[in-house]
Amino acid sequence: METTTQSGQQSSAIEKVKSEAEKRFLTQKTMAIELVEKADSITITDETTLSMATQLLSKIKDVEKITEERRKYLKEPYLKAGKAIDEVAKQVLEPLNKALAIGKDKLRDWNAAQEKIRQDANAEIEKSKTLLDKIVAQIMDKSDKCVTPDGCKSLIKSINEKFPAPELFGPYANEAASEKARYINLLNIKHDALEKALAGVAGSTKAIEAMKEAEKKAEEASAESSAQTEEKKEHLKEVVSESTTKSSVRKMHKAMVIDEKKLPRNWMMPNMEAINAHLKTLKEMGTEFPIEIQGVKFYIDETPIIK
């Protein structure tokens, strides 16, 4: 309610100031309208009309000067008051801005640390899954190439001896153990089937059929397990994201120059300060104008003088 009242009081005060200003500028306003009409109607055809036009423009300049002086005079107290208010507010705003900058820097540091934790955790998840996929692919390939009982027996021994420790698979330790057991079981079935086939004993045909069925099931199970581990990976990453709490941020697309030498021409802006400095040098040297230097035209512009 207080803010609404203050706003109403300010509006009333502004309207009062505006009304007083309109009274102070009333004469100049009337003259300005008349002078526009005269300037529009005059045509310069000879020295007499040139003199009339010059006199008219001088009068316009006089009215403009008076109006500008009065505007500055009337505004001056308010400008001083505004500067005084700004100076007082500055004593509060400067430390507040400093405090905000310090706080934002600390929040950025926190967010950066949380982002690193997230990235490191996700990298470990990817590393563990990649290791599992690689080991399973190797065992699957070697199992497919295993065509003798001794080969199967040797591969089982190799798996038992060289299969990485469970902790190396991180969150996929259980999946790794299941894949290991699956292929050892498959290799045992293949070993028995190949051994019976080579010996030509009864039931060898059924054993081979059982081996092929076991291979098919192992491949299907591995494919299903791979899909599940992929889903688990995404879930684990979501859990990581939820556990790495960052402060609220407003994302803004920005650009900054990091190598001026690589900037394309259409992204550059002429340095008018340097160009005008060179113009001054040319003038001091008594250079004849106009002159063009490296795509810049230096010339003399004749502007009518109104006294």
Side-chain angles (χ1 to χ4, degrees), residues 22-76:
E22 286 176 341
K23 293 176 184 177
R24 300 291 292 271
F25 285 106
L26 184 59
T27 302
Q28 283 72 33
K29 183 178 179 181
T30 303
M31 291 175 67
I33 295 171
E34 292 176 357
L35 290 169
V36 170
E37 293 175 353
K38 289 181 179 180
D40 187 50
S41 63
I42 195 167
T43 302
I44 301 174
T45 57
D46 50 30
E47 289 186 5
T48 301
T49 52
L50 173 62
S51 176
M52 292 173 61
T54 302
Q55 290 176 8
L56 176 62
L57 291 173
S58 294
K59 188 172 183 179
I60 292 171
K61 196 72 178 177
D62 289 341
V63 174
E64 180 187 50
K65 183 179 178 181
I66 292 170
T67 304
E68 195 61 29
E69 288 176 352
R70 187 163 296 177
R71 179 186 68 82
K72 290 179 180 178
Y73 173 76
L74 292 174
K75 277 183 66 176
E76 188 176 6

Side-chain angles (χ1 to χ4, degrees), residues 98-142:
K98 184 178 180 181
L100 281 172
I102 293 170
K104 286 181 179 180
D105 285 342
K106 291 185 177 181
L107 288 178
R108 286 191 185 96
D109 291 342
W110 166 262
N111 287 347
Q114 292 295 296
E115 180 61 19
K116 188 176 186 308
I117 292 171
R118 187 188 70 80
Q119 290 181 357
D120 290 346
N122 286 343
E124 284 299 316
I125 292 170
E126 289 284 356
K127 182 180 177 182
S128 298
K129 186 177 182 302
T130 299
L131 176 62
L132 176 59
D133 291 343
K134 182 180 177 182
I135 296 296
V136 171
Q138 288 176 350
I139 294 175
M140 185 184 296
D141 181 61
K142 290 179 180 180

